[in-house]
Amino acid sequence: MSIVDRNSRLAALVDELSEVALYLWQRGWAERNGGNISANITDMLDGDYTPLSTFPLPRPFPAIAGCAFLVTGTGKRMRDIARQPMNNAVVLRLHPSGNAYDLVADYPIPPTSELPAHLAIHEQASLRHSPAKVVCHTHPTELVALTHHRRFLQPGALGRLLWSMIPETRIIVPRGVGIVPYELPGSLALANATVKALEYHDVVLWEKHGCLATGDSLAETFDAIDTLAKSAAIYLAALSAGQEPEGLSDQQLDDLAAAFHLPTSPA
Ligand code: 13P
Ligand code: ZN
């Protein structure tokens, strides 16, 4: 019997992984193996598990030593994760030293190439006692398209624009969007820059690459990215109708923040 079959909370999370992976594929954000997902499941696992295989980490992660994670496999398609989640994702546990990990279920599949970013984010969440247990990275077309324009890479510019397209974005993504300048996919440099940007935001855009969200649940991370993608699509649709869209005014955004008791951090 697999770890998942023996653990109803983990089984429910794997069901949610499968559901959200399908949404990412259906949205057109997950070409081939595009995107990856992880969740901190330390509080769901008990007992010892026989390692299937062991791998070193590119740097130690002492703050999450001993922690366990559900992580999508590298090179795996979201549409396959949706159908057969545990044939395409793994459970891994960091060593007590924090500088290596064991794969413990179900198959010895190498985890996502973005593992450094996922672990760095989980480490930061743990250090801050944040309830955010989930990291979701995907490639939403309209959001990535906007990161190809230099003017949107200025601090706060894209976040403010996306907030102003529809009131829901101000409410559902209250801490706005961070911009992470282009870095090599899978690199520690990308991981470090992402952790820095997440100090002020729950969602970041990786320039010319994709989007990454953290949250308490997978549904929450999907909703945040979906709402931002909606704003980006509205912006591009309005632009294609002939001119730059007006957007909600500063006053209208301030009124939303006051009415919904939202933080007023930079977009
Ligand atoms: P993986 O298949 O290694 O998860 O890579 C996909 C990706 O989106 C890299 O940024
Ligand atoms: Zn990617």
Side-chain angles (χ1 to χ4, degrees):
M1 205 191 227
S2 88
I3 289 179
V4 176
D5 296 329
R6 280 186 276 134
N7 184 316
S8 59
R9 282 177 69 208
L10 182 53
L13 179 66
V14 170
D15 281 350
E16 199 183 4
L17 170 67
S18 158
E19 182 184 340
V20 169
L22 182 63
Y23 298 159
L24 300 182
W25 163 247
Q26 288 171 334
R27 281 278 188 272
W29 302 343
E31 72 294 338
R32 198 177 185 278
N33 61 307
N36 26 76
I37 293 171
S38 68
N40 188 334
I41 57 166
T42 310
D43 66 350
M44 295 183 194
L45 289 197
D46 47 12
D48 282 334
Y49 299 95
T50 315
L52 301 166
S53 50
T54 298
F55 295 92
L57 284 164
R59 72 152 169 94
F61 291 88
I64 48 171
C67 290
F69 299 89
L70 175 68
V71 185
T72 54
T74 187
K76 300 301 183 186
R77 298 174 175 86
M78 285 295 158
R79 60 184 192 266
D80 291 338
I81 294 168
R83 277 188 307 116
Q84 293 184 301
M86 289 314 294
N87 287 358
N88 295 282
V90 290
V91 173
L92 61 85
R93 171 123 75 180
L94 266 63
H95 286 190
S97 62
N99 60 14
Y101 62 88
D102 295 330
L103 294 181
V104 297
D106 277 349
Y107 302 104
I109 298 166
T112 174
S113 57
E114 300 290 1
L115 191 65
H118 285 257
L119 291 184
I121 295 164
H122 288 297
E123 179 177 57
Q124 202 60 19
S126 166
L127 286 168
R128 299 219 159 113
H129 306 290
S130 157
K133 294 263 183 263
V134 172
V135 176
C136 177
H137 161 58
T138 186
H139 299 168
T141 312
E142 287 91 349
L143 286 172
V144 176
L146 295 180
T147 71
H148 283 262
H149 290 288
R150 199 122 303 274
R151 83 169 159 111
F152 294 135
L153 301 178
Q154 305 311 313
L158 194 47
R160 169 70 179 72
L161 177 87
L162 296 170
W163 270 357
S164 78
M165 285 298 109
I166 185 170
E168 275 66 21
T169 306
R170 180 68 183 89
I171 298 164
I172 293 166
V173 192
R175 299 213 304 148
V177 163
I179 299 286
V180 176
Y182 183 82
E183 294 286 357
L184 192 68
S187 62
L188 271 177
L190 180 58
N192 294 339
T194 303
V195 165
K196 209 165 143 222
L198 285 171
E199 272 181 45
Y200 306 101
H201 309 279
D202 299 315
V203 187
V204 297
L205 294 175
W206 287 350
E207 179 186 339
K208 303 182 183 87
H209 178 162
C211 187
L212 179 144
T214 62
D216 302 358
S217 73
L218 253 180
E220 186 185 305
T221 58
F222 174 79
D223 287 340
I225 299 171
D226 194 33
T227 306
L228 290 166
K230 174 75 162 234
S231 269
I234 291 170
Y235 175 71
L236 295 171
L239 203 60
S240 71
Q243 45 187 313
E244 186 79 16
E246 191 173 275
L248 296 168
S249 67
D250 286 343
Q251 185 63 55
Q252 287 166 333
L253 289 173
D254 287 349
D255 290 348
L256 275 169
F260 289 87
H261 310 291
L262 305 170
T264 50
S265 61

PDB file of all heavy atoms in Angstrom, residues 38-62:
ATOM      1  N   SER A  38       4.468  22.260  -5.702  1.00  0.00           N
ATOM      2  CA  SER A  38       4.934  21.551  -4.502  1.00  0.00           C
ATOM      3  C   SER A  38       4.078  21.945  -3.313  1.00  0.00           C
ATOM      4  O   SER A  38       3.459  23.011  -3.309  1.00  0.00           O
ATOM      5  CB  SER A  38       6.406  21.875  -4.204  1.00  0.00           C
ATOM      6  OG  SER A  38       6.522  23.223  -3.805  1.00  0.00           O
ATOM      7  N   ALA A  39       4.039  21.057  -2.328  1.00  0.00           N
ATOM      8  CA  ALA A  39       3.309  21.334  -1.084  1.00  0.00           C
ATOM      9  C   ALA A  39       4.093  20.756   0.078  1.00  0.00           C
ATOM     10  O   ALA A  39       4.631  19.644  -0.023  1.00  0.00           O
ATOM     11  CB  ALA A  39       1.915  20.712  -1.139  1.00  0.00           C
ATOM     12  N   ASN A  40       4.154  21.528   1.157  1.00  0.00           N
ATOM     13  CA  ASN A  40       4.800  21.052   2.383  1.00  0.00           C
ATOM     14  C   ASN A  40       3.799  20.131   3.103  1.00  0.00           C
ATOM     15  O   ASN A  40       2.733  20.575   3.528  1.00  0.00           O
ATOM     16  CB  ASN A  40       5.170  22.255   3.268  1.00  0.00           C
ATOM     17  CG  ASN A  40       6.007  21.843   4.456  1.00  0.00           C
ATOM     18  OD1 ASN A  40       5.934  20.697   4.909  1.00  0.00           O
ATOM     19  ND2 ASN A  40       6.812  22.751   4.959  1.00  0.00           N
ATOM     20  N   ILE A  41       4.150  18.836   3.196  1.00  0.00           N
ATOM     21  CA  ILE A  41       3.220  17.855   3.784  1.00  0.00           C
ATOM     22  C   ILE A  41       3.784  17.268   5.083  1.00  0.00           C
ATOM     23  O   ILE A  41       3.362  16.191   5.503  1.00  0.00           O
ATOM     24  CB  ILE A  41       2.909  16.725   2.775  1.00  0.00           C
ATOM     25  CG1 ILE A  41       4.202  16.033   2.305  1.00  0.00           C
ATOM     26  CG2 ILE A  41       2.126  17.256   1.592  1.00  0.00           C
ATOM     27  CD1 ILE A  41       3.947  14.717   1.589  1.00  0.00           C
ATOM     28  N   THR A  42       4.725  17.998   5.684  1.00  0.00           N
ATOM     29  CA  THR A  42       5.396  17.474   6.883  1.00  0.00           C
ATOM     30  C   THR A  42       4.393  17.058   7.958  1.00  0.00           C
ATOM     31  O   THR A  42       4.543  16.008   8.580  1.00  0.00           O
ATOM     32  CB  THR A  42       6.357  18.546   7.449  1.00  0.00           C
ATOM     33  OG1 THR A  42       7.170  19.017   6.371  1.00  0.00           O
ATOM     34  CG2 THR A  42       7.232  17.983   8.546  1.00  0.00           C
ATOM     35  N   ASP A  43       3.350  17.888   8.137  1.00  0.00           N
ATOM     36  CA  ASP A  43       2.402  17.569   9.212  1.00  0.00           C
ATOM     37  C   ASP A  43       1.423  16.451   8.824  1.00  0.00           C
ATOM     38  O   ASP A  43       0.575  16.068   9.612  1.00  0.00           O
ATOM     39  CB  ASP A  43       1.647  18.822   9.664  1.00  0.00           C
ATOM     40  CG  ASP A  43       0.742  19.371   8.581  1.00  0.00           C
ATOM     41  OD1 ASP A  43       0.831  18.914   7.427  1.00  0.00           O
ATOM     42  OD2 ASP A  43      -0.070  20.269   8.891  1.00  0.00           O
ATOM     43  N   MET A  44       1.549  15.942   7.591  1.00  0.00           N
ATOM     44  CA  MET A  44       0.662  14.836   7.187  1.00  0.00           C
ATOM     45  C   MET A  44       1.346  13.480   7.325  1.00  0.00           C
ATOM     46  O   MET A  44       0.694  12.448   7.292  1.00  0.00           O
ATOM     47  CB  MET A  44       0.256  14.986   5.710  1.00  0.00           C
ATOM     48  CG  MET A  44      -0.585  16.202   5.436  1.00  0.00           C
ATOM     49  SD  MET A  44      -1.071  16.213   3.707  1.00  0.00           S
ATOM     50  CE  MET A  44      -1.641  17.886   3.560  1.00  0.00           C
ATOM     51  N   LEU A  45       2.683  13.508   7.411  1.00  0.00           N
ATOM     52  CA  LEU A  45       3.419  12.233   7.440  1.00  0.00           C
ATOM     53  C   LEU A  45       3.843  11.892   8.857  1.00  0.00           C
ATOM     54  O   LEU A  45       4.251  12.758   9.614  1.00  0.00           O
ATOM     55  CB  LEU A  45       4.676  12.323   6.568  1.00  0.00           C
ATOM     56  CG  LEU A  45       4.474  12.367   5.061  1.00  0.00           C
ATOM     57  CD1 LEU A  45       5.787  12.045   4.369  1.00  0.00           C
ATOM     58  CD2 LEU A  45       3.397  11.402   4.595  1.00  0.00           C
ATOM     59  N   ASP A  46       3.747  10.629   9.190  1.00  0.00           N
ATOM     60  CA  ASP A  46       4.323  10.183  10.460  1.00  0.00           C
ATOM     61  C   ASP A  46       5.073   8.882  10.184  1.00  0.00           C
ATOM     62  O   ASP A  46       4.856   8.248   9.160  1.00  0.00           O
ATOM     63  CB  ASP A  46       3.246   9.983  11.534  1.00  0.00           C
ATOM     64  CG  ASP A  46       2.066   9.192  11.006  1.00  0.00           C
ATOM     65  OD1 ASP A  46       2.202   8.633   9.904  1.00  0.00           O
ATOM     66  OD2 ASP A  46       1.028   9.135  11.672  1.00  0.00           O
ATOM     67  N   GLY A  47       5.959   8.555  11.077  1.00  0.00           N
ATOM     68  CA  GLY A  47       6.699   7.300  10.943  1.00  0.00           C
ATOM     69  C   GLY A  47       7.863   7.424   9.972  1.00  0.00           C
ATOM     70  O   GLY A  47       8.134   8.500   9.427  1.00  0.00           O
ATOM     71  N   ASP A  48       8.560   6.319   9.794  1.00  0.00           N
ATOM     72  CA  ASP A  48       9.735   6.286   8.928  1.00  0.00           C
ATOM     73  C   ASP A  48       9.384   5.622   7.607  1.00  0.00           C
ATOM     74  O   ASP A  48       8.546   4.739   7.561  1.00  0.00           O
ATOM     75  CB  ASP A  48      10.855   5.501   9.608  1.00  0.00           C
ATOM     76  CG  ASP A  48      11.533   6.341  10.668  1.00  0.00           C
ATOM     77  OD1 ASP A  48      11.491   7.584  10.529  1.00  0.00           O
ATOM     78  OD2 ASP A  48      12.057   5.756  11.629  1.00  0.00           O
ATOM     79  N   TYR A  49      10.042   6.071   6.580  1.00  0.00           N
ATOM     80  CA  TYR A  49       9.786   5.511   5.253  1.00  0.00           C
ATOM     81  C   TYR A  49      11.101   5.086   4.637  1.00  0.00           C
ATOM     82  O   TYR A  49      12.123   5.736   4.818  1.00  0.00           O
ATOM     83  CB  TYR A  49       9.082   6.555   4.385  1.00  0.00           C
ATOM     84  CG  TYR A  49       7.757   6.961   4.970  1.00  0.00           C
ATOM     85  CD1 TYR A  49       7.648   8.089   5.780  1.00  0.00           C
ATOM     86  CD2 TYR A  49       6.630   6.181   4.771  1.00  0.00           C
ATOM     87  CE1 TYR A  49       6.444   8.439   6.354  1.00  0.00           C
ATOM     88  CE2 TYR A  49       5.403   6.518   5.333  1.00  0.00           C
ATOM     89  CZ  TYR A  49       5.322   7.653   6.131  1.00  0.00           C
ATOM     90  OH  TYR A  49       4.125   7.989   6.702  1.00  0.00           O
ATOM     91  N   THR A  50      11.046   3.989   3.898  1.00  0.00           N
ATOM     92  CA  THR A  50      12.259   3.479   3.268  1.00  0.00           C
ATOM     93  C   THR A  50      12.571   4.327   2.034  1.00  0.00           C
ATOM     94  O   THR A  50      11.719   4.466   1.156  1.00  0.00           O
ATOM     95  CB  THR A  50      12.026   2.022   2.808  1.00  0.00           C
ATOM     96  OG1 THR A  50      11.369   1.337   3.870  1.00  0.00           O
ATOM     97  CG2 THR A  50      13.322   1.340   2.443  1.00  0.00           C
ATOM     98  N   PRO A  51      13.775   4.921   1.968  1.00  0.00           N
ATOM     99  CA  PRO A  51      14.086   5.734   0.796  1.00  0.00           C
ATOM    100  C   PRO A  51      14.161   4.889  -0.478  1.00  0.00           C
ATOM    101  O   PRO A  51      14.699   3.785  -0.462  1.00  0.00           O
ATOM    102  CB  PRO A  51      15.462   6.324   1.113  1.00  0.00           C
ATOM    103  CG  PRO A  51      15.803   5.926   2.490  1.00  0.00           C
ATOM    104  CD  PRO A  51      14.851   4.876   2.941  1.00  0.00           C
ATOM    105  N   LEU A  52      13.584   5.426  -1.559  1.00  0.00           N
ATOM    106  CA  LEU A  52      13.698   4.765  -2.867  1.00  0.00           C
ATOM    107  C   LEU A  52      15.031   5.150  -3.508  1.00  0.00           C
ATOM    108  O   LEU A  52      15.642   4.366  -4.220  1.00  0.00           O
ATOM    109  CB  LEU A  52      12.550   5.201  -3.789  1.00  0.00           C
ATOM    110  CG  LEU A  52      11.127   4.910  -3.296  1.00  0.00           C
ATOM    111  CD1 LEU A  52      10.106   5.682  -4.112  1.00  0.00           C
ATOM    112  CD2 LEU A  52      10.855   3.413  -3.377  1.00  0.00           C
ATOM    113  N   SER A  53      15.425   6.403  -3.282  1.00  0.00           N
ATOM    114  CA  SER A  53      16.734   6.889  -3.748  1.00  0.00           C
ATOM    115  C   SER A  53      17.029   8.210  -3.035  1.00  0.00           C
ATOM    116  O   SER A  53      16.131   8.824  -2.465  1.00  0.00           O
ATOM    117  CB  SER A  53      16.752   7.073  -5.264  1.00  0.00           C
ATOM    118  OG  SER A  53      15.633   7.816  -5.659  1.00  0.00           O
ATOM    119  N   THR A  54      18.298   8.612  -3.106  1.00  0.00           N
ATOM    120  CA  THR A  54      18.762   9.808  -2.382  1.00  0.00           C
ATOM    121  C   THR A  54      19.497  10.730  -3.347  1.00  0.00           C
ATOM    122  O   THR A  54      20.242  10.257  -4.206  1.00  0.00           O
ATOM    123  CB  THR A  54      19.706   9.377  -1.235  1.00  0.00           C
ATOM    124  OG1 THR A  54      18.945   8.555  -0.344  1.00  0.00           O
ATOM    125  CG2 THR A  54      20.258  10.561  -0.467  1.00  0.00           C
ATOM    126  N   PHE A  55      19.250  12.043  -3.216  1.00  0.00           N
ATOM    127  CA  PHE A  55      19.906  13.023  -4.089  1.00  0.00           C
ATOM    128  C   PHE A  55      20.472  14.174  -3.254  1.00  0.00           C
ATOM    129  O   PHE A  55      19.844  14.571  -2.260  1.00  0.00           O
ATOM    130  CB  PHE A  55      18.903  13.625  -5.085  1.00  0.00           C
ATOM    131  CG  PHE A  55      18.351  12.623  -6.065  1.00  0.00           C
ATOM    132  CD1 PHE A  55      17.164  11.948  -5.780  1.00  0.00           C
ATOM    133  CD2 PHE A  55      19.005  12.353  -7.248  1.00  0.00           C
ATOM    134  CE1 PHE A  55      16.643  11.020  -6.673  1.00  0.00           C
ATOM    135  CE2 PHE A  55      18.485  11.427  -8.146  1.00  0.00           C
ATOM    136  CZ  PHE A  55      17.307  10.762  -7.860  1.00  0.00           C
ATOM    137  N   PRO A  56      21.614  14.749  -3.682  1.00  0.00           N
ATOM    138  CA  PRO A  56      22.125  15.931  -2.980  1.00  0.00           C
ATOM    139  C   PRO A  56      21.345  17.179  -3.403  1.00  0.00           C
ATOM    140  O   PRO A  56      20.728  17.195  -4.474  1.00  0.00           O
ATOM    141  CB  PRO A  56      23.576  16.030  -3.478  1.00  0.00           C
ATOM    142  CG  PRO A  56      23.562  15.392  -4.835  1.00  0.00           C
ATOM    143  CD  PRO A  56      22.465  14.351  -4.817  1.00  0.00           C
ATOM    144  N   LEU A  57      21.372  18.214  -2.568  1.00  0.00           N
ATOM    145  CA  LEU A  57      20.768  19.506  -2.919  1.00  0.00           C
ATOM    146  C   LEU A  57      21.873  20.495  -3.291  1.00  0.00           C
ATOM    147  O   LEU A  57      23.006  20.361  -2.818  1.00  0.00           O
ATOM    148  CB  LEU A  57      19.955  20.031  -1.737  1.00  0.00           C
ATOM    149  CG  LEU A  57      18.600  19.335  -1.542  1.00  0.00           C
ATOM    150  CD1 LEU A  57      18.029  19.623  -0.155  1.00  0.00           C
ATOM    151  CD2 LEU A  57      17.621  19.765  -2.633  1.00  0.00           C
ATOM    152  N   PRO A  58      21.555  21.510  -4.116  1.00  0.00           N
ATOM    153  CA  PRO A  58      22.594  22.454  -4.559  1.00  0.00           C
ATOM    154  C   PRO A  58      23.102  23.349  -3.439  1.00  0.00           C
ATOM    155  O   PRO A  58      24.176  23.937  -3.539  1.00  0.00           O
ATOM    156  CB  PRO A  58      21.902  23.280  -5.644  1.00  0.00           C
ATOM    157  CG  PRO A  58      20.442  23.135  -5.375  1.00  0.00           C
ATOM    158  CD  PRO A  58      20.261  21.791  -4.746  1.00  0.00           C
ATOM    159  N   ARG A  59      22.306  23.475  -2.371  1.00  0.00           N
ATOM    160  CA  ARG A  59      22.760  24.174  -1.150  1.00  0.00           C
ATOM    161  C   ARG A  59      21.952  23.597   0.010  1.00  0.00           C
ATOM    162  O   ARG A  59      20.873  23.025  -0.207  1.00  0.00           O
ATOM    163  CB  ARG A  59      22.570  25.688  -1.258  1.00  0.00           C
ATOM    164  CG  ARG A  59      21.130  26.179  -1.176  1.00  0.00           C
ATOM    165  CD  ARG A  59      21.097  27.597  -0.616  1.00  0.00           C
ATOM    166  NE  ARG A  59      19.823  28.269  -0.713  1.00  0.00           N
ATOM    167  CZ  ARG A  59      18.898  28.276   0.267  1.00  0.00           C
ATOM    168  NH1 ARG A  59      19.100  27.602   1.391  1.00  0.00           N
ATOM    169  NH2 ARG A  59      17.771  28.953   0.115  1.00  0.00           N
ATOM    170  N   PRO A  60      22.448  23.713   1.237  1.00  0.00           N
ATOM    171  CA  PRO A  60      21.668  23.185   2.365  1.00  0.00           C
ATOM    172  C   PRO A  60      20.411  24.028   2.627  1.00  0.00           C
ATOM    173  O   PRO A  60      20.428  25.243   2.379  1.00  0.00           O
ATOM    174  CB  PRO A  60      22.625  23.278   3.552  1.00  0.00           C
ATOM    175  CG  PRO A  60      23.911  23.795   3.041  1.00  0.00           C
ATOM    176  CD  PRO A  60      23.728  24.297   1.652  1.00  0.00           C
ATOM    177  N   PHE A  61      19.362  23.391   3.090  1.00  0.00           N
ATOM    178  CA  PHE A  61      18.128  24.080   3.482  1.00  0.00           C
ATOM    179  C   PHE A  61      17.849  23.724   4.950  1.00  0.00           C
ATOM    180  O   PHE A  61      16.918  22.961   5.251  1.00  0.00           O
ATOM    181  CB  PHE A  61      16.964  23.637   2.581  1.00  0.00           C
ATOM    182  CG  PHE A  61      17.080  24.121   1.160  1.00  0.00           C
ATOM    183  CD1 PHE A  61      17.774  23.392   0.208  1.00  0.00           C
ATOM    184  CD2 PHE A  61      16.483  25.324   0.782  1.00  0.00           C
ATOM    185  CE1 PHE A  61      17.880  23.847  -1.098  1.00  0.00           C
ATOM    186  CE2 PHE A  61      16.584  25.780  -0.530  1.00  0.00           C
ATOM    187  CZ  PHE A  61      17.291  25.037  -1.470  1.00  0.00           C
ATOM    188  N   PRO A  62      18.655  24.258   5.891  1.00  0.00           N
ATOM    189  CA  PRO A  62      18.560  23.820   7.290  1.00  0.00           C
ATOM    190  C   PRO A  62      17.204  24.089   7.927  1.00  0.00           C
ATOM    191  O   PRO A  62      16.747  23.315   8.760  1.00  0.00           O
ATOM    192  CB  PRO A  62      19.671  24.606   8.002  1.00  0.00           C
ATOM    193  CG  PRO A  62      20.071  25.691   7.062  1.00  0.00           C
ATOM    194  CD  PRO A  62      19.724  25.247   5.682  1.00  0.00           C
TER     195      PRO A  62
END
